[in-house]
C-alpha cells in the first residue's frame, strides 16, 4: 500500500484519533510504538465535544498531570488522521 508523505503520521504532528468507544481525541504525537500491538505516545490529549458553537475540546484526563504523555494502544484506535487546520488554533489555545 502506498502512503502519501502528506498523510503519514509522524512525531510532532497534531492528530485526531477515533477510538473504538466512539470518542474522538486530539493530541500531539510524541512517538509511534513499533512493538507488538503498536500504538501512539500522545501529549496533551483533548476529547472532542459538540457545542452550540461547533466543536469544543475538553481535557481527556481531568486529574492527570499537565503535559502528561499517554499511550493510545492501536487496538483501541479505529481511525487516525491529521487534525484539520481549523481546529489547530483552538487546540493550541486550550493546551
Amino acid at each position: 500500500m502506498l502512503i502519501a508523505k502528506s498523510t503519514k503520521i509522524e512525531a510532532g504532528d497534531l492528530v485526531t484519533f477515533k477510538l473504538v468507544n466512539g470518542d474522538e481525541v486530539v493530541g500531539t504525537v510524541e512517538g509511534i510504538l513499533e512493538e507488538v500491538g503498536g500504538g501512539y505516545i500522545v501529549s496533551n490529549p483533548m476529547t472532542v465535544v459538540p457545542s452550540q458553537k461547533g466543536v469544543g475540546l475538553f481535557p481527556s484526563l481531568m486529574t492527570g498531570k499537565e503535559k502528561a504523555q499517554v499511550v493510545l494502544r492501536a487496538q483501541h484506535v479505529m481511525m487516525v488522521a491529521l487534525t484539520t487546520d481549523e481546529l489547530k488554533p483552538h487546540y493550541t489555545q486550550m493546551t
Side-chain angles (χ1 to χ4, degrees):
M1 178 164 107
L2 181 62
I3 298 176
K5 174 114 175 96
S6 63
T7 61
K8 185 178 178 191
I9 305 301
E10 298 176 339
D13 288 340
L14 184 61
V15 176
T16 301
F17 300 91
K18 182 72 166 190
L19 305 181
V20 295
N21 69 355
D23 286 350
E24 213 168 290
V25 175
V26 177
T28 303
V29 173
E30 300 296 336
I32 299 173
L33 300 175
E34 301 294 335
E35 64 191 39
V36 175
Y40 302 88
I41 301 169
V42 179
S43 64
N44 301 316
M46 303 289 282
T47 300
V48 176
V49 292
S51 74
Q52 291 179 343
K53 296 181 181 179
V55 174
L57 295 173
F58 198 76
S60 296
L61 295 173
M62 293 298 295
T63 60
K65 287 188 176 183
E66 190 174 336
K67 307 290 184 191
Q69 291 184 353
V70 299
V71 174
L72 292 179
R73 291 282 173 193
Q75 67 190 20
H76 302 292
V77 176
M78 289 192 321
M79 294 179 267
V80 59
L82 295 172
T83 302
T84 62
D85 290 338
E86 294 81 18
L87 190 62
K88 288 180 181 180
H90 184 50
Y91 175 84
T92 301
Q93 178 185 5
M94 294 298 295
T95 57

